[in-house]
Amino acid sequence: MTQPAKRRLNSTRTKEKGSRINKGRTKARYSQGPKNRPFPVMTHFLELPDDIIFVICSYLDTKALCRLSQTCLRLHHLTNYDSAWRRIAKKCLNTGITHDGLDLFPNISLKDRVKVSQNWKRGLYREDAPLKWKKNLLPWIQLDGDILYLSQAADIRAFKLQPEKYSLKRKPLVVYTGHREDVCRFLLTSSHIISGGGDGKIILHQKLSNFKIEFSAHEQEVNCIDCLGGVILSGSRDKTARVWSLSSNTLGQCLHTIPTGDRVWSAAISPILSSFATGTACCGHVSPLRIWDLERGELLTCLGEDFRRGAGILDILYETPFTLFSCGYDTYIRYWDTRVSTTKCMVEWEEPHDSALYCIQTDRNNMIASGSAYYGVVRLWDKRQSYCLQTFYLSVPVSSPVYCLRFTTSHLYAALSSALHVLDFKSVEPHHS
């Protein structure tokens, strides 16, 4: 065979081989779709668009998501977005995501909140007592952003929080005065501080100023107070609960006076303003927990039965218009749903050391925090479990109840008889577990 003929034969073989290779590649890159039409198949995870990667990330657990973030820069960037952590955050404790999906702390990364949530679950924290006083008091606290309000005797003081230093500024920003006796309870609205005192008065203080309005509300001390939607609810030792107008033209006008037949320790207004609940001392009525119509002031129903005498309700907390928590002297936290039953609670959690429970607070999702009557004990509960999750024994020289507690996603503030205690779950100490 001549040399030119050999070249033509080799060229033909090379083209046939290339054609077979290309056909093979085509089969590898395409598969049959509807009506035998080929569509491309993605061969690499990173070729997926961001939206699809976020959907995939939503099915991963915490460990898998953290490992994925370490693989490359793009995935590290994508896994820092809140959308990748939202499903995990809703299942964790105290991440600021409510049961309805509302984000209470949108300025803090969800990834960081999930990380701190593990410290709440494991009981890892740093403790401090930035404020102490010599006389035993019955303090109450409220949080408003980076300001903590604390009642001490007849005054209410506003302190600037310093989370980066695990403490607060000891010098108050403002001191609110006006009561002749101790402040029993107070709450915050967008523009005012509303307080009830041992002198039977209710005082409306304008925030960060000295302007105030006061009126006589009860013959004895105001043990509890709540405010929502233009009305104030107060309960007293004089065995009455009263509803007051907060409108500018009828401010301080009593709308209803409800004789409860027993001392009122706690009260709360329903989120939809249709009713309110009162908790009494359980000395003169079958049920210490009752629901009243807010517009007419009439009794709607009693919650529970077979309460022991003296099993008073010390705190009430609405979660939804139909569900609420209660706690008190009978050592139980109870979760009620008025749509299901008014005679039996849905769930109950018993204090392990048979101690009265002075206060409760929830993250509006899975976590409950409670303050006990002795030795400064704070307990964490997971609503999905029947037992106590964590117990924190605050450093106190003598036994004291936890009169009030509030928390953010990283700090817990507890008011005891002689000090304000702060638990920092962001900066932990290894021996606390």
Side-chain angles (χ1 to χ4, degrees):
M1 184 179 292
T2 62
Q3 196 68 22
K6 287 183 178 181
R7 290 198 194 99
R8 288 195 298 270
L9 180 60
N10 291 336
S11 176
T12 303
R13 290 174 177 173
T14 303
K15 288 181 180 178
E16 291 177 354
K17 183 178 180 181
S19 177
R20 288 196 300 271
I21 292 173
N22 289 335
K23 287 181 181 179
R25 287 177 179 173
T26 302
K27 290 180 181 179
R29 290 182 57 84
Y30 290 84
S31 59
Q32 296 297 322
K35 299 181 180 179
N36 296 325
R37 294 177 182 175
F39 59 87
V41 177
M42 297 294 182
T43 58
H44 200 284
F45 181 71
L46 291 178
E47 294 181 19
L48 296 172
D50 292 353
D51 293 343
I52 302 300
I53 293 179
F54 284 140
V55 173
I56 295 173
C57 289
S58 69
Y59 290 94
L60 302 180
D61 59 15
T62 304
K63 185 180 293 186
L65 200 54
C66 290
R67 288 174 175 173
L68 184 64
S69 69
Q70 298 173 357
T71 56
C72 67
L73 288 176
R74 184 187 176 212
L75 290 178
H76 177 76
H77 176 71
L78 292 178
T79 53
N80 279 332
Y81 279 95
D82 285 354
S83 54
W85 292 89
R86 194 170 188 86
R87 186 186 66 87
I88 295 175
K90 193 172 181 179
K91 293 182 178 180
C92 292
L93 298 178
N94 194 28
T95 57
I97 302 296
T98 68
H99 180 72
D100 298 328
L102 178 65
D103 192 346
L104 302 178
F105 301 93
N107 296 327
I108 306 175
S109 166
L110 263 183
K111 181 179 179 180
D112 293 338
R113 284 182 268 169
V114 170
K115 181 180 179 181
V116 175
S117 172
Q118 303 307 308
N119 294 334
W120 288 84
K121 183 178 180 180
R122 297 167 185 166
L124 303 176
Y125 61 93
R126 179 194 298 269
E127 182 181 356
D128 188 22
L131 293 177
K132 298 180 180 180
W133 44 90
K134 295 181 179 179
K135 294 183 179 180
N136 287 343
L137 304 174
L138 280 74
W140 197 256
I141 54 177
Q142 296 286 2
L143 291 176
D144 184 17
D146 60 350
I147 298 178
L148 181 141
Y149 295 85
L150 169 69
S151 66
Q152 293 177 293
D155 301 332
I156 300 174
R157 292 175 166 82
F159 297 92
K160 180 75 172 180
L161 294 176
Q162 296 178 300
E164 67 281 358
K165 296 182 179 179
Y166 329 118
S167 186
L168 50 82
K169 290 186 178 180
R170 298 177 186 274
K171 184 178 180 181
L173 299 173
V174 185
V175 178
Y176 303 93
T177 61
H179 287 285
R180 294 193 302 270
E181 297 184 28
D182 288 2
V183 174
C184 298
R185 293 287 189 274
F186 71 93
L187 55 88
L188 307 178
T189 68
S190 57
S191 57
H192 289 84
I193 303 169
I194 305 174
S195 61
D199 53 6
K201 287 184 178 181
I202 292 178
I203 300 181
L204 282 73
H205 308 267
Q206 191 170 4
K207 282 185 179 179
L208 302 179
S209 75
N210 294 322
F211 178 77
K212 64 178 181 289
I213 300 172
E214 63 180 63
F215 56 90
S216 180
H218 291 271
E219 297 176 0
Q220 299 184 43
E221 60 262 37
V222 180
N223 288 327
C224 52
I225 194 166
D226 196 9
C227 177
L228 191 65
V231 294
I232 300 173
L233 172 65
S234 63
S236 172
R237 193 182 182 88
D238 65 6
K239 301 182 181 181
T240 64
R242 290 179 176 173
V243 180
W244 308 86
S245 173
L246 194 56
S247 303
S248 56
N249 55 343
T250 57
L251 181 63
Q253 178 182 340
C254 183
L255 303 178
H256 300 294
T257 298
I258 297 99
T260 59
D262 211 344
R263 292 165 292 175
V264 183
W265 293 132
S266 54
I269 303 175
S270 167
I272 58 174
L273 292 170
S274 61
S275 59
F276 65 91
T278 59
T280 56
C282 198
C283 294
H285 195 272
V286 175
S287 173
L289 185 58
R290 286 172 278 180
I291 307 276
W292 309 80
D293 185 275
L294 185 60
E295 184 178 356
R296 300 189 303 269
E298 299 175 354
L299 179 64
L300 293 177
T301 186
C302 298
L303 297 183
E305 56 187 12
D306 299 330
F307 283 93
R308 301 194 305 267
R309 182 176 177 84
I313 305 296
L314 296 178
D315 202 4
I316 301 172
L317 186 64
Y318 270 98
E319 188 174 53
T320 71
F322 308 102
T323 59
L324 66 154
F325 291 92
S326 66
C327 70
Y329 284 116
D330 66 347
T331 75
Y332 281 93
I333 300 173
R334 290 187 170 90
Y335 179 64
W336 306 86
D337 191 333
T338 56
R339 297 166 299 183
V340 178
S341 174
T342 58
T343 57
K344 291 185 178 181
C345 63
M346 300 299 296
V347 190
E348 62 182 18
W349 300 268
E350 185 178 9
E351 215 283 340
H353 293 165
D354 199 33
S355 175
L357 296 171
Y358 271 53
C359 55
I360 51 174
Q361 194 72 16
T362 76
D363 65 351
R364 296 172 58 182
N365 192 11
N366 297 318
M367 191 182 83
I368 308 171
S370 64
S372 301
Y374 302 109
Y375 305 108
V377 174
V378 175
R379 299 189 191 276
L380 294 188
W381 311 77
D382 189 332
K383 291 196 299 185
R384 298 161 293 188
Q385 301 174 358
S386 59
Y387 53 87
C388 176
L389 181 66
Q390 288 292 340
T391 301
F392 308 135
Y393 296 93
L394 304 183
S395 301
V396 292
V398 295
S399 178
S400 168
V402 178
Y403 289 107
C404 183
L405 56 84
R406 296 289 185 267
F407 55 78
T408 64
T409 57
S410 57
H411 293 75
L412 184 144
Y413 304 88
L416 278 66
S417 60
S418 60
L420 173 71
H421 290 256
V422 181
L423 303 185
D424 179 9
F425 291 87
K426 195 172 183 179
S427 303
V428 302
E429 293 180 350
H431 65 274
H432 277 132
S433 60

